[in-house]
Amino acid sequence: MATASELDKIRCNPIKEGLGAISHLFESNFASDRFLTCIDVKTLVLDLIQALQIEPAARTLSSRIAERTLSGDLAILYGRLDSNQLDSASAIPLVEQIVRNERNAPAWNDADIWHAVFELVARTNPITPPTAFEKAVFDTPLRSSSASQRGIEQTHDEVDQRILEELTGRVFYDVEGFYERYFEVKTWSNKAGDICEKSMAQYVDGRWSGWPVPSRQAPCFEWPMKFQDTVLSGLRRRYYTSANKVLRGSEADRKLDIFLTPADAALPDGEHDWSNVLVIGEHKQNSDEDGAAKTLVQLAGYAREVFGSQPERRFVPGFTICGSMMRLWIFDRSRPYNSEKFNIHREPERFVKVLAGYAMMSDAELGLNTFIKRDGNGKYIVTRGVRISLEDKPIASTKAIVCRGTTCYRGRKSDSTEWEYVVKFAWPSDKRQREGELLKLAKERGVTGIAVWFNHEQITIDGDPDTISHFRQDMTFGTPRKLSSKASWVDGSPDSSRAYSKTSHRGRSGSGATHLMGLGIGASSATTSSSGQKRKRDERLDGGSRLKRSKSNGSHASGTNLRIKESELDATGAHSIQRTVVDSLAACRNQWQRNNVDHIQEAGADSLNCESETYGNRVHYCLVTSPAGRPLHEYHSVRELLEALRDAIRGHMPSGARHRTGTMQFMAIEVLEGKGHTYRHDLESFFYVFVWMCIRYGYEGARREKVNKVMRPKTNILRGWYTGTYTEIANTKQGHVVKTRFENVIVEFSPKFETLKPLARELRTALFPIRDGDILTGTFHDHDIMYDGMIDAFSRAIDRLGEEERAIA
């Protein structure tokens, strides 16, 4: 209804007899038996809008959708109706209000008329929401992630481009204090000094003896191998090269120039494994390739493989040697950064101390997660005095670099054989609410139907807080380097006029699919739990007024966007569209946050100042909950899968979630287009998950030939959901959900899910109704419309399955 300010303006500018003639025209025309053509109705409505537009109240009332008056809204509405962009029937609720309004009635009846005008404007306003990214300074950024490519689809040309996009604007070069932070005043410093003195026998006339000139690759690989045999022998780690042979343990065929592993690492069939790689190295022949993005992308590709094979890894150290120039790197979950480069011939002591230092560092100094203990029985943690054994492989992990690094294991007590816990490791921002605090609060208040909190804690390593800010203490960071995703590098020189040059090598591996990632959809399905994880949002602001949650069902309304009743449709049969607004952390925090502020942010040095920070501080957390479920792809029956998806949507329905999803293939069309996030976009993601499952899974017992044909990645229709630019992916999805082309998608349903095609069509109709001759990708004010449509569709499909099962029995 009208605000107090609006009511004052309405009372000061009464309509009185201004609409009397128009009201009489409508009454006489609709009361008579004569046939009214569309032109007649349109003319009457245009007259009504024109009459309202010149009313004094329309010129003083502010628009609820833009920076103008209501009269301006009516002028735009008049033009759209006159040019046939709108159906005149959309004005019927307003017409009815005009006819019902009694002449010489008190001003509160005028308020009803203007309320109907506001609703007409809101209903017929173009549904395209404003672009949110430029304004959403504190919103979760929509960033590209290399996590979208998995399985045999991890070709170099696709993954390398994603890595470049993932790291653009996030790489710090020439960090002051890097060498001092990681290589000086260590427990092994004296021994490194002794090794350095011993190595000087190979340093002759200002150069390392035997170092090839020019710095060709094969001889440069041989040099450190010989060097360590004479100087670094007896250490518990060794350098190797795999320049001519791919490493095991990855779906992508990546070779690694130089790397460090434990000297006693098991080598099945004489092959190295990514799970044993401790330090990564990249060699380039020319020194001018040191700053090339291509060099960075190659090294980052190695770091990605390490994180993927060692999902609990905290960070990955690395180095590049370009010609005679060496640069040291760290890849952590916030942003990669490197040292100032140095010449290995001019600074021989530094060169040796680096090589020796990496070989002597502790597991913690090399980025391993020593919070996880190991013994003859496997991996375990101790939390709240309880030893919890971890399953060997995670049930969820993220194959990307800059992200939360979420990794989940099933866990059990030492005296139990049942996997009763889920142990989750993650690197959330230090400015986010702690998931563990929320689950603990829910447990204390008796909330049911969600994971049960057992414990959560911030991880400490060797007595130090395991945070990004602690990693980077005593170092000086400048401005992150901006990398162009459209630049190519030839001999280290950027050429911005051409697309990024991608290697023609297309890796394929026979290592097979790993277990699930993210939503529980396996690696072979290119699924991820992207960096854009789901996060709870603060209240939204729109035009200075806070959105309020309806007490009845949790939907939102504001002074700008009026919530209509569940049964209220416009005259064309469409529901009122919610205008997407920008998320803002500038809004006041909710009651939980106000009461628990000490639990939200770290105190002291680890809480970075938002105004001055040059990188995002993340905090390493461990959360233990129960019970332990199964990944989505490990469904026991079609019925169970449908019930799980339906119940997940039910669980989402009171959440009021306004976060932004980040898994590429499941992202909604409008989110890909850069528009603000609403509940509808999460429902759209549920829909994509369902379709994805029906196409990528369900081949149990099917003929092998058919599986190979459908799963061939270069022809599979779902590839367009995660390859290409955001705009291209959005266009692909929009094309797929059009009714006529949707059949081309569901024709690929696997044998087990053939009977779910009718459900897929129902879900498509519920999510993408036709409005103004095109599919709707916007959001209804009444959230029950889409929620009920999807839940009811799933319920009917479940009932049909039950009937089929009874018929078979």
Side-chain angles (χ1 to χ4, degrees), residues 440-452:
K440 182 180 180 182
L441 182 63
K443 180 179 181 180
E444 292 170 350
R445 295 187 178 179
V447 177
T448 60
I450 61 173
V452 179

Side-chain angles (χ1 to χ4, degrees), residues 560-586:
T560 301
N561 297 299
L562 298 172
R563 182 181 182 277
I564 62 172
K565 295 180 180 179
E566 185 175 325
S567 59
E568 190 170 352
L569 303 174
D570 67 18
T572 61
H575 297 267
S576 179
I577 304 301
Q578 175 178 326
R579 190 165 65 97
T580 308
V581 292
V582 178
D583 288 336
S584 174
L585 291 182

Side-chain angles (χ1 to χ4, degrees), residues 426-445:
W427 291 84
S429 166
D430 70 343
K431 297 171 183 60
R432 296 292 182 185
Q433 296 176 184
R434 297 287 171 257
E435 180 182 7
E437 290 291 345
L438 296 174
L439 289 174
K440 182 180 180 182
L441 182 63
K443 180 179 181 180
E444 292 170 350
R445 295 187 178 179

Side-chain angles (χ1 to χ4, degrees), residues 305-565:
E305 294 298 337
V306 174
F307 278 126
S309 298
Q310 305 173 41
E312 69 273 13
R313 190 73 180 256
R314 297 158 52 236
F315 59 85
V316 180
F319 60 87
T320 57
I321 299 178
C322 300
S324 59
M325 304 305 297
M326 189 174 199
R327 190 185 291 274
L328 313 179
W329 287 83
I330 289 288
F331 291 84
D332 61 29
R333 294 303 189 178
S334 182
R335 302 178 182 188
Y337 55 99
N338 62 41
S339 70
E340 297 172 304
K341 63 183 178 181
F342 64 92
N343 191 302
I344 64 172
H345 300 298
R346 295 175 184 171
E347 298 187 65
E349 292 185 357
R350 178 170 296 206
F351 178 50
V352 175
K353 286 182 178 179
V354 165
L355 293 179
Y358 282 136
M360 294 188 295
M361 284 181 178
S362 68
D363 288 348
E365 289 173 319
L366 287 171
L368 276 66
N369 186 355
T370 55
F371 180 81
I372 299 178
K373 311 297 182 184
R374 289 170 173 81
D375 61 16
N377 296 318
K379 299 186 292 189
Y380 68 94
I381 64 169
V382 177
T383 183
R384 285 179 60 189
V386 177
R387 172 173 167 147
I388 299 178
S389 298
L390 305 182
E391 202 168 16
D392 184 47
K393 293 186 178 181
I395 58 174
S397 64
T398 306
K399 193 152 189 176
I401 302 170
V402 181
C403 62
R404 289 164 60 97
T406 302
T407 301
C408 298
Y409 290 91
R410 292 198 299 178
R412 58 178 172 81
K413 293 181 180 177
S414 299
D415 58 353
S416 173
T417 59
E418 298 294 325
W419 297 106
E420 55 185 305
Y421 298 108
V422 172
V423 180
K424 175 180 179 179
F425 298 96
W427 291 84
S429 166
D430 70 343
K431 297 171 183 60
R432 296 292 182 185
Q433 296 176 184
R434 297 287 171 257
E435 180 182 7
E437 290 291 345
L438 296 174
L439 289 174
K440 182 180 180 182
L441 182 63
K443 180 179 181 180
E444 292 170 350
R445 295 187 178 179
V447 177
T448 60
I450 61 173
V452 179
W453 175 89
F454 178 76
N455 190 50
H456 74 279
E457 59 186 291
Q458 179 180 326
I459 292 175
T460 59
I461 301 293
D462 294 340
D464 294 320
D466 210 28
T467 66
I468 298 298
S469 62
H470 181 74
F471 293 167
R472 302 183 179 187
Q473 68 180 8
D474 301 324
M475 291 186 285
T476 302
F477 291 77
T479 303
R481 178 172 295 187
K482 295 183 179 180
L483 308 172
S484 172
S485 61
K486 296 182 180 180
S488 63
W489 287 263
V490 181
D491 296 327
S493 301
D495 178 4
S496 60
S497 65
R498 290 157 50 184
Y500 173 67
S501 62
K502 296 167 262 188
T503 175
S504 60
H505 177 70
R506 295 172 179 268
R508 292 289 183 267
S509 172
S511 61
T514 60
H515 278 293
L516 123 85
M517 315 288 156
L519 286 167
I521 304 175
S524 63
S525 62
T527 310
T528 96
S529 167
S530 177
S531 60
Q533 295 286 329
K534 296 179 183 292
R535 293 168 180 165
K536 194 170 181 64
R537 287 291 177 220
D538 297 315
E539 297 291 332
R540 292 170 177 256
L541 296 179
D542 185 15
S545 61
R546 177 178 302 282
L547 297 178
K548 298 180 180 179
R549 184 181 302 279
S550 166
K551 294 181 180 179
S552 60
N553 60 9
S555 59
H556 291 74
S558 73
T560 301
N561 297 299
L562 298 172
R563 182 181 182 277
I564 62 172
K565 295 180 180 179

Side-chain angles (χ1 to χ4, degrees), residues 651-756:
H652 188 276
M653 187 172 181
S655 72
R658 289 178 176 265
H659 45 253
R660 181 168 293 139
T661 57
T663 307
M664 189 72 72
Q665 50 269 41
F666 306 134
M667 288 170 67
I669 293 169
E670 287 194 336
V671 174
L672 287 164
E673 291 175 335
K675 298 169 184 175
H677 188 280
T678 71
Y679 70 86
R680 172 262 142 67
H681 300 125
D682 291 335
L683 292 181
E684 192 174 331
S685 293
F686 278 117
F687 170 70
Y688 295 138
V689 169
F690 166 73
V691 173
W692 186 279
M693 288 292 297
C694 290
I695 292 177
R696 291 289 181 123
Y697 293 89
Y699 293 97
E700 302 89 336
R703 291 189 308 134
R704 196 72 209 165
E705 308 89 89
K706 184 168 184 179
V707 175
N708 289 336
K709 180 180 179 182
V710 176
M711 292 300 292
R712 190 164 61 248
K714 285 299 179 184
T715 60
N716 193 284
I717 197 169
L718 296 183
R719 282 178 56 80
W721 288 14
Y722 58 89
T723 56
T725 65
Y726 295 126
T727 300
E728 290 169 346
I729 295 171
N731 290 339
T732 296
K733 286 183 175 178
Q734 185 151 0
H736 283 173
V737 297
V738 173
K739 183 177 181 180
T740 54
R741 294 192 57 193
F742 188 59
E743 294 300 315
N744 297 332
V745 176
I746 64 176
V747 75
E748 293 201 22
F749 274 23
S750 64
K752 191 156 191 160
F753 298 123
E754 281 278 350
T755 59
L756 298 185

